[in-house]
């Protein structure tokens, strides 16, 4: 098992069988993520040190414009993809096994949850998981305490109201809110 195979498997959206080799590899990645996020969350870091740790966590290049207020949590890290001028406020939690793609200019508020896995609805397979990516477009603002569920795409310029639970795609330049999140209004571009 290696990271490349793991990421390909997650992109396939195939069921993750509890106890399988892929499931066990997820646990190894979670342990690595815990080590790195512990460093992020328990000491003062310069911007350069923070970027370095995020690059270790994601195994990707992170632009110098990225900013994060700790604490930050993830149980994988290797399937987070971050654009330029992205900001994570304190308490952001990302379950990224299924893939989280964050485009340029995104603002993510306090205690936002991005969750790319669901458990099987079949009670006899409840420990199995189903991955699906979250895609966040350019200049999206996700308000505090919102939850974005697996498989959701958020269009460019959209706003997710504080406390919303987003279970369906969000059109560009719209405001959604509520539980589950529903369309509130179109946003004007100036």
């Amino acid at each position: 098992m290696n990271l490349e195979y793991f990421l390909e498997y997650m992109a396939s959206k195939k069921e993750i069988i509890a106890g399988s080799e892929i499931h066990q590899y997820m646990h190894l990645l979670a342990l690595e993520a815990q080590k790195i996020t512990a460093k992020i969350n328990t000491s003062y870091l310069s911007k350069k040190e923070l970027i370095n740790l995020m690059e270790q966590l994601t195994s990707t290049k992170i632009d110098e414009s990225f900013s994060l207020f700790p604490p930050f949590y993830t149980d994988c890290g290797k399937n987070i993809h971050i654009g330029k001028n992205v900001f994570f406020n304190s308490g952001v939690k990302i379950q990224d096994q299924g893939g989280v793609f964050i485009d340029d200019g995104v603002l993510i508020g306090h205690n936002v949850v991005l969750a790319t896995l669901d458990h099987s609805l079949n009670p006899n397979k409840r420990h199995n998981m189903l991955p699906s990516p979250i895609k966040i477009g350019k200049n999206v603002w996700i308000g505090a305490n919102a939850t974005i569920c697996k498989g959701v795409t958020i269009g460019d310029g959209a706003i997710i109201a504080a406390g919303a639970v987003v279970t369906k795609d969000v059109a560009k330049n719209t405001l959604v809110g509520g539980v589950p999140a529903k369309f509130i209004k179109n946003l004007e571009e100036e």
Side-chain angles (χ1 to χ4, degrees), residues 81-158:
H81 310 273
I82 302 171
K84 296 178 180 177
N85 297 307
V86 170
F87 172 68
F88 292 2
N89 217 323
S90 61
V92 169
K93 299 164 190 74
I94 300 180
Q95 179 195 57
D96 63 288
Q97 289 88 341
V100 173
F101 300 86
I102 302 168
D103 212 329
D104 299 343
V106 172
L107 304 173
I108 301 181
H110 290 92
N111 302 314
V112 165
V113 174
L114 305 175
T116 65
L117 294 174
D118 271 345
H119 287 278
S120 175
L121 297 178
N122 179 336
N124 297 319
K125 298 180 178 183
R126 187 60 35 90
H127 292 274
N128 293 355
M129 290 170 275
L130 304 165
S132 190
I134 293 171
K135 298 175 183 174
I136 303 170
K138 286 182 172 52
N139 300 315
V140 168
W141 173 23
I142 303 175
N145 297 301
T147 298
I148 313 301
C149 295
K150 78 176 183 85
V152 167
T153 296
I154 301 172
D156 294 348

Side-chain angles (χ1 to χ4, degrees), residues 30-183:
L31 294 173
E32 181 181 339
Q34 287 173 19
K35 288 178 191 175
I36 296 169
T37 56
K39 291 176 185 175
I40 291 171
N41 296 336
T42 59
S43 61
Y44 174 78
L45 299 170
S46 69
K47 179 111 173 157
K48 185 176 182 178
E49 291 168 325
L50 175 64
I51 298 292
N52 182 42
L53 286 170
M54 287 299 291
E55 288 178 343
Q56 289 175 41
L57 179 66
T58 63
S59 293
T60 62
K61 178 77 175 139
I62 302 292
D63 191 80
E64 292 177 6
S65 61
F66 174 74
S67 194
L68 176 150
F69 289 169
F72 168 70
Y73 304 97
T74 182
D75 56 359
C76 181
K78 300 302 184 201
N79 212 357
I80 300 173
H81 310 273
I82 302 171
K84 296 178 180 177
N85 297 307
V86 170
F87 172 68
F88 292 2
N89 217 323
S90 61
V92 169
K93 299 164 190 74
I94 300 180
Q95 179 195 57
D96 63 288
Q97 289 88 341
V100 173
F101 300 86
I102 302 168
D103 212 329
D104 299 343
V106 172
L107 304 173
I108 301 181
H110 290 92
N111 302 314
V112 165
V113 174
L114 305 175
T116 65
L117 294 174
D118 271 345
H119 287 278
S120 175
L121 297 178
N122 179 336
N124 297 319
K125 298 180 178 183
R126 187 60 35 90
H127 292 274
N128 293 355
M129 290 170 275
L130 304 165
S132 190
I134 293 171
K135 298 175 183 174
I136 303 170
K138 286 182 172 52
N139 300 315
V140 168
W141 173 23
I142 303 175
N145 297 301
T147 298
I148 313 301
C149 295
K150 78 176 183 85
V152 167
T153 296
I154 301 172
D156 294 348
I159 297 174
I160 310 303
V165 176
V166 182
T167 60
K168 296 180 181 174
D169 291 352
V170 176
K172 70 178 189 172
N173 298 318
T174 59
L175 170 64
V176 300
V179 179
K182 295 186 181 346
F183 172 83

Side-chain angles (χ1 to χ4, degrees), residues 6-46:
F6 173 79
L7 294 174
E8 286 174 11
Y9 191 94
M10 293 300 117
S12 76
K13 301 181 186 179
K14 291 179 189 171
E15 186 172 15
I16 302 161
I17 306 301
S20 67
E21 184 180 9
I22 199 88
H23 189 237
Q24 291 172 22
Y25 191 74
M26 283 173 55
H27 284 283
L28 292 176
L29 292 176
L31 294 173
E32 181 181 339
Q34 287 173 19
K35 288 178 191 175
I36 296 169
T37 56
K39 291 176 185 175
I40 291 171
N41 296 336
T42 59
S43 61
Y44 174 78
L45 299 170
S46 69

